[in-house]
Amino acid sequence: MLSESSVRLGTARSVIRELFEYGKTRAAEVGAENVFDFSLGNPSVEPPAEVTETALRLLRESDPVAIHGYTSAQGDAAVREKLAASLNRRFAANCGPDDLYVCTGAAGALCGTLHGLACPGDEFVVFAPFFPEYRVFIEKTGAAVRVVPPQPADFQIDFDALASVLSPRTKGVLVNSPNNPSGAVYSRETLTRLAALLSERAAAYGHPIYLISDEPYREVVYDGFAAPWIPSLYRDTVVCYSFSKSLSLPGERLGYVFVPKGCGGGEPVLAAVAGASRAMGYVSAPSLFQRVCAECCDLTADLSVYAANRRLLLDGLRACGFTCVEPGGTFYLFPQTLEPDDRAFCEAAKRLDLLLVPGSGFGCPGHARLSYCVPTARVERALPVFEKLARLYR
Ligand code: PLP
């Protein structure tokens, strides 16, 4: 007898992966230039030159045994010093090296945090549209997922809906701003209101409600938008960060959990994260890239390609009749589909070799996600195809 849920998770491919594989097959049949794949959120710009230079320097100049050796389970102490200093410089975070747990990307950070916090009977709240893996990560802890329906006018928070799902069972609320898939960045006003509501309910229930801030896109924001630093607005915040998108290093699997001082009002939250991570085998994150990321943590990849693609797509799609909230960050666009059935719409797009991901998988039917971390030439070639798709619905 095996774990049924694990077998199911290990067997079913995600819709996004299916599309990506389909795109590769189609490219072999009709030529890569005739397939417009907007399915996968894999950064398309290279990491900053400093990343490569630092990795090479470290490999050449360090003691080879040490650079490939285990670090402390929580992450190398000097690495945590540098990461903390960066957070303090940029956000006045009052972070010390012992407030960080270095781990494998945002996925590792989220799993360590959720497993560390979850007790039997707990619930975690997520806001649609949401990264589909949240359901997987939360349910594997034994906790339940409560979904707050989307507010498609601006993809900020529907506070009435949130108020109705909070309960004494709520252990945490997961936010992801800038957001995958909508690109929305929560405003300071939204976050202040969220903090007030959670503080009020936590006091009423007599236990903390943790705000888990999943921030792999923190630096991927565009002109006129800024992602507020959430721990300055709400005490019981746990930050889950990743270098996957900011430094274009998704395959190196590096991120961290930051537990601010005072978080949980004295509960040993970082110890819980460390213990849960230990129990899952997430100790001593990749050693070389811990050091590389610590040296390069104030940098980002060149985001100008994403900015150009975003402008082209937003203007182009609106011109052919799509309704789309202007994304403040990430490299995703989340327009309304031109028919209510987003899966049928994405099938129609697929027949034109335009690969889009249905919004239903993100808990937000009637929309489709486009990942525009692709070469700008692909965006330019795709615009007439979007027009052709729109014509089918006129
Ligand atoms: N959270 C969100 C919202 C994401 O979009 C992703 C990856 O795309 C992750 C978490 C996982 O990131 P990582 O590759 O750093 O584990």
Side-chain angles (χ1 to χ4, degrees):
M1 181 74 179
L2 300 174
S3 152
E4 254 178 60
S5 66
S6 297
V7 172
R8 193 168 21 82
L9 286 170
T11 310
R13 249 208 229 145
S14 81
V15 176
I16 299 174
R17 285 273 153 198
E18 290 282 359
L19 267 176
F20 179 64
E21 294 302 326
Y22 173 83
K24 284 198 292 191
T25 310
R26 261 319 262 169
E29 288 165 8
V30 299
E33 68 287 2
N34 298 314
V35 179
F36 311 100
D37 185 354
F38 293 97
S39 62
L40 207 61
N42 208 3
S44 57
V45 297
E46 59 191 75
E50 289 87 340
V51 165
T52 314
E53 285 157 15
T54 307
L56 290 174
R57 178 173 52 75
L58 288 170
L59 282 172
R60 264 194 232 104
E61 295 175 8
S62 313
D63 168 0
V65 174
I67 197 72
H68 296 297
Y70 291 123
T71 66
S72 82
Q74 187 178 349
D76 178 71
V79 164
R80 285 184 283 116
E81 285 277 1
K82 286 181 187 157
L83 296 176
S86 167
L87 290 175
N88 294 339
R89 245 187 335 267
R90 291 190 295 149
F91 306 113
N94 190 23
C95 175
D98 292 340
D99 303 325
L100 294 169
Y101 190 91
V102 182
C103 59
T104 50
L110 286 164
C111 289
T113 301
L114 291 164
H115 281 267
L117 295 180
C119 299
D122 279 349
E123 295 180 351
F124 288 90
V125 174
V126 301
F127 298 94
F130 59 88
F131 182 52
E133 295 300 279
Y134 288 170
R135 196 177 275 289
V136 176
F137 297 163
I138 293 169
E139 288 178 349
K140 258 296 179 192
T141 71
V145 180
R146 298 297 307 269
V147 179
V148 177
Q151 181 168 287
D154 56 7
F155 292 121
Q156 300 286 311
I157 291 175
D158 177 341
F159 280 97
D160 291 337
L162 171 61
S164 71
V165 306
L166 292 173
S167 83
R169 286 186 297 280
T170 309
K171 175 56 70 69
V173 171
L174 210 65
V175 290
N176 168 224
S177 167
N179 181 264
N180 173 10
S182 71
V185 178
Y186 284 165
S187 66
R188 182 167 291 276
E189 188 196 347
T190 295
L191 291 166
T192 305
R193 211 172 147 192
L194 175 62
L197 177 59
L198 296 185
S199 300
E200 182 195 306
R201 292 301 182 93
Y205 303 150
H207 62 75
I209 298 178
Y210 290 96
L211 184 55
I212 302 162
S213 180
D214 177 27
E215 320 194 334
Y217 303 93
R218 184 165 68 209
E219 287 82 12
V220 190
V221 286
Y222 301 106
D223 285 351
F225 292 88
W229 175 243
I230 298 180
S232 69
L233 301 172
Y234 186 68
R235 187 195 67 177
D236 296 336
T237 301
V238 179
V239 174
C240 294
Y241 184 75
S242 162
F243 294 99
S244 295
K245 316 290 172 167
S246 56
L247 288 178
S248 288
L249 291 175
E252 304 301 349
R253 312 306 302 132
L254 234 296
Y256 58 79
V257 180
F258 167 44
V259 178
K261 295 183 208 324
C263 173
E267 289 199 291
V269 178
L270 195 90
V273 173
S277 302
R278 174 183 172 194
M280 291 183 289
Y282 295 172
V283 290
S284 183
S287 161
L288 172 63
F289 270 83
Q290 281 193 44
R291 273 78 175 213
V292 173
C293 291
E295 301 269 325
C296 299
C297 62
D298 286 344
L299 305 174
T300 66
D302 176 4
L303 306 177
S304 62
V305 175
Y306 304 147
N309 291 355
R310 167 182 176 271
R311 198 68 265 160
L312 276 171
L313 277 168
L314 195 58
D315 293 347
L317 263 68
R318 283 178 172 167
C320 55
F322 285 88
T323 301
C324 187
V325 173
E326 180 165 2
T330 72
F331 32 61
Y332 306 110
L333 211 61
F334 201 54
Q336 282 178 24
T337 50
L338 299 176
E339 61 176 303
D341 182 343
D342 52 296
R343 291 196 173 95
F345 176 81
C346 291
E347 279 302 315
K350 196 170 161 193
R351 286 193 285 277
L352 300 175
D353 289 317
L354 194 54
L355 307 186
L356 315 177
V357 184
S360 297
F362 302 94
C364 191
H367 292 75
R369 189 190 80 172
L370 282 83
S371 293
Y372 55 82
C373 42
V374 299
T376 302
R378 186 184 307 167
V379 173
E380 285 165 343
R381 280 200 314 275
L383 288 176
V385 188
F386 278 105
E387 169 57 28
K388 202 165 159 189
L389 177 64
R391 251 187 273 130
L392 299 176
Y393 291 90
R394 284 194 196 123

